[in-house]
């Protein structure tokens, strides 16, 4: 192993530890709306084998047709927390949700 590879691996481990610590420090609000954990798990697992990114994005996006638009879905008057909503999206949370689901291997991975 060369020196650069070693430092890259150390950096990745540090980022993962830091990310876990930050995620653990915040509470999470999860609103399923008309979805359930098993339905969302099915959406993610159905797309695991899809290799074409555009098709994968389109397929996941179709699952959210009919979910209402709501502005400021992340604005909360309380302390900062992770908010996951499937009952309504604004422009950012819609894109962020679809992209996170595209990159996930399970619903727990998504969260």
């Amino acid at each position: 192993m060369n020196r650069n590879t070693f430092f890259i691996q150390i950096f990745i481990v540090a980022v993962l530890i830091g990310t876990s610590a930050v995620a653990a420090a915040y509470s999470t609000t999860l609103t399923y709306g008309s979805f359930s954990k098993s339905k969302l798990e099915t959406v993610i697992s159905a797309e695991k084998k899809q290799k074409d990114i555009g098709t994968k994005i389109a397929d996941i996006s179709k699952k959210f047709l009919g979910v209402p638009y709501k502005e400021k879905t992340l604005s909360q008057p309380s302390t900062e927390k992770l908010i996951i909503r499937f009952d309504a999206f604004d422009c950012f949370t819609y894109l962020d949700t679809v992209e996170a689901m595209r990159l996930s291997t399970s619903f727990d991975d998504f969260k």
Side-chain angles (χ1 to χ4, degrees), residues 9-70:
Q9 289 175 342
I10 294 296
F11 174 76
I12 290 170
V13 169
V15 168
L16 291 174
I17 290 170
T19 302
S20 297
V22 169
Y26 293 105
S27 62
T28 302
T29 300
L30 176 59
T31 307
Y32 286 104
S34 63
F35 294 90
S36 65
K37 182 179 178 179
S38 64
K39 186 174 182 180
L40 294 165
E41 189 72 57
T42 301
V43 171
I44 292 169
S45 64
E47 295 304 319
K48 281 183 191 177
K49 295 179 178 116
Q50 178 56 255
K51 299 295 182 205
D52 182 68
I53 294 171
T55 301
K56 196 173 198 177
I57 290 170
D59 290 347
I60 294 169
S61 296
K62 287 176 191 174
K63 306 297 188 232
F64 300 115
L65 286 174
V67 175
Y69 174 83
K70 178 178 174 148

